[in-house]
Amino acid sequence: LTVTDNEGATSYDDVQVVVSSTSVTTKSIKLNLFGGTNPYVNAEWNNWNVSGSLNSGVLKYSDGASSGVSAAITRHTLADNGATYGGTMCPPEVLRYASYSTSARTLTFSGLSTAKTYSLELYASRANTGNSTTFTINGNAVTILTDNNKTNKAVFNALTPTASGQLVISIANVNTYNYLNGLILTESGDTPPPPPPPPGPRYVKVNLFGGTNPYGSPEWNNWNVSGSLNSGTLKYSDATTSPISAALSRSSGINDNGATYGSGMAPAEVLRYASNATTARTLTFSGLSAGRTYDLELYASRGNYSGNFTNFTIGAAVQSISTFNNLASKASFTGLTASGTGQITVSITNPQTYNYLNGFTLTETTGTATVTQANSKEEIYGETASVGRDMPNDKAAPGSLILSAHPNPSQGVVTLVTKRGSTRLLLTIRNMNGSVVAQRSVLPGRPTGSHHFQLPPGIYWAEASAGEQRSAVKIIVIPR
């Protein structure tokens, strides 16, 4: 745990957490990776010379006691960021040296207790550009942009070891290199972890600005895009830390709409400053969960240059915003799912001279992206349709129209199965914005038919209609 006092001094120490008046002592293993010279001289930290051995040997807790835990990494080369590199997410001495590889590798902890739970912080930082590292544990992935990264760490909580007392972390390079500088493994007592967040969506609200007049609301993140095109780790609106970060591929400048510009779709402080570009660019979110869905609002507003539009594109969905004196019209995408590396990428283009971005709100659902089709009534674009479990022919009324999807979720190819009478029918697939992404007319024929569709990752509604009959099913396509 990192603790900062009111004077700005930072310490890295064990703590005692009190939950429901019950004391739970946590113990930490702090590990610095280096190459044999300039070890971190701190009694709380282990120094692992990975250039000498890919096995750490038995590690100590930060209080000096033996932990019985060891670590092993499958491959390694060392890079030196320099003695003055600095950093705040962990001691600068830990960020100085980075173990790197040009191919995927694993970090394995052994000797863990199956009666305890663990949390893990991983530090990945290198004084160069164009690289990101993805850490994956039990299917949960966190991607860290490593370029001069001194604040953004990968965090995993409530980890449980295997029956043999091991924990395996996959380390992959998104681009050329993956990095690991050090880590803190925290062991809880024989008690359940602190409870999960309350049910309901969680929000990441971000204001883009140029370094002056940040928005003073505690619910909002202020991203100085004039200082860095990488946001660093963002907080949720309840002020807790999220695993999410954002990166812009370019920002040509910051425009000031003025202190009296006004509000509407977002607070006036958010609409005041607009990041602009004259060529296409991307906004990429990292650290997203593959098991959740996301909604995204994007704000584009400029009190100048009438006739400018900004197009936002995610997958096959495109939304165009007229930006001139725009206080009300926002781009909204719903039911988004992350890629296999935990990312969502938004393309931002300008049909005319400029494209703009003032800020955004990313909403994270607490549910998973798995379909549960209990019998229910759901509103679909203003009309009500029955949604239920697949029904065998002998339980359907004669001549009734039934639509089902297989597999669901799928990884690209969805098969829609229709059970109907001999009438002509229309199959329509819409995304969560209501746009038609596929449509097929089916001639009268056999009572049962199968129809195959190739779809990108996302959430869709498929509908079959024949005369007065309609049947719909929600389908999910997940990344391969």
Side-chain angles (χ1 to χ4, degrees), residues 297-317:
E297 292 182 354
L298 299 133
Y299 315 119
S301 184
R302 179 69 178 111
N304 205 343
Y305 296 103
S306 62
N308 273 290
F309 285 79
T310 298
N311 290 344
F312 297 98
T313 304
I314 303 178

Side-chain angles (χ1 to χ4, degrees), residues 60-301:
K60 66 181 180 181
Y61 290 115
S62 58
D63 63 6
S66 176
S67 70
V69 176
S70 61
I73 200 164
T74 52
R75 56 179 58 90
H76 152 84
T77 307
L78 190 74
D80 185 355
N81 289 322
T84 61
Y85 186 61
T88 57
M89 63 179 167
C90 64
E93 294 86 349
V94 178
L95 293 186
R96 174 170 181 176
Y97 293 105
S99 166
Y100 73 88
S101 175
T102 57
S103 57
R105 51 183 173 159
T106 58
L107 171 68
T108 302
F109 291 98
S110 300
L112 304 175
S113 171
T114 58
K116 299 179 184 293
T117 58
Y118 296 83
S119 61
L120 181 62
E121 290 186 0
L122 298 142
Y123 313 119
S125 181
R126 181 67 177 113
N128 62 7
T129 59
N131 286 285
S132 295
T133 300
T134 298
F135 298 97
T136 305
I137 304 177
N138 297 330
N140 295 317
V142 176
T143 298
I144 300 296
L145 184 67
T146 58
D147 300 353
N148 292 298
N149 172 35
K150 300 175 184 180
T151 59
N152 193 16
K153 57 194 174 186
V155 179
F156 297 86
N157 293 309
L159 301 172
T160 55
T162 65
S164 59
Q166 288 190 322
L167 191 63
V168 179
I169 301 96
S170 171
I171 308 174
N173 42 294
V174 178
N175 309 104
T176 308
Y177 303 103
N178 64 67
Y179 295 100
L180 178 65
N181 303 60
L183 57 93
I184 295 180
L185 180 70
T186 301
E187 168 192 295
S188 74
D190 300 330
T191 58
R202 307 186 78 186
Y203 305 94
V204 176
K205 302 180 178 181
V206 177
N207 169 48
L208 276 63
F209 77 122
T212 59
N213 303 311
Y215 185 22
S217 169
E219 293 186 4
W220 285 76
N221 297 267
N222 286 292
W223 179 6
N224 179 7
V225 288
S226 296
S228 176
L229 294 180
N230 301 291
S231 70
T233 302
L234 299 167
K235 66 181 180 181
Y236 291 112
S237 59
D238 62 6
T240 60
T241 301
S242 83
I244 299 169
S245 61
L248 268 174
S249 60
R250 62 175 55 86
S251 179
S252 300
I254 293 290
N255 300 116
D256 186 355
N257 289 322
T260 61
Y261 186 60
S263 63
M265 60 183 167
E269 294 84 351
V270 177
L271 297 186
R272 175 171 181 177
Y273 292 104
S275 164
N276 74 68
T278 56
T279 56
R281 52 181 171 161
T282 57
L283 171 67
T284 301
F285 296 94
S286 300
L288 307 177
S289 170
R292 299 181 185 276
T293 58
Y294 297 85
D295 298 340
L296 179 62
E297 292 182 354
L298 299 133
Y299 315 119
S301 184

Side-chain angles (χ1 to χ4, degrees), residues 11 53 110 113 122 124 150 260 276 285 357 362 378 395 399 404 408 452-453 455:
S11 63
S53 175
S110 300
S113 171
L122 298 142
K150 300 175 184 180
T260 61
N276 74 68
F285 296 94
L357 180 65
L362 181 71
E378 297 201 21
K395 291 188 179 180
S404 59
N408 198 5
H452 308 288
F453 294 86
L455 297 171

Side-chain angles (χ1 to χ4, degrees), residues 334-402:
T334 59
L336 302 174
T337 55
S339 67
T341 57
Q343 293 185 323
I344 289 175
T345 299
V346 185
S347 173
I348 308 173
T349 57
N350 43 294
Q352 288 80 36
T353 308
Y354 298 100
N355 65 66
Y356 297 102
L357 180 65
N358 303 59
F360 54 82
T361 297
L362 181 71
T363 303
E364 174 188 276
T365 67
T366 55
T368 63
T370 301
V371 176
T372 302
Q373 293 185 9
N375 292 331
S376 64
K377 294 282 186 179
E378 297 201 21
E379 281 296 316
I380 307 174
Y381 312 115
E383 300 180 41
T384 302
S386 296
V387 180
R389 296 186 181 276
D390 298 339
M391 296 175 62
N393 284 326
D394 60 354
K395 291 188 179 180
S400 62
L401 176 62
I402 300 174

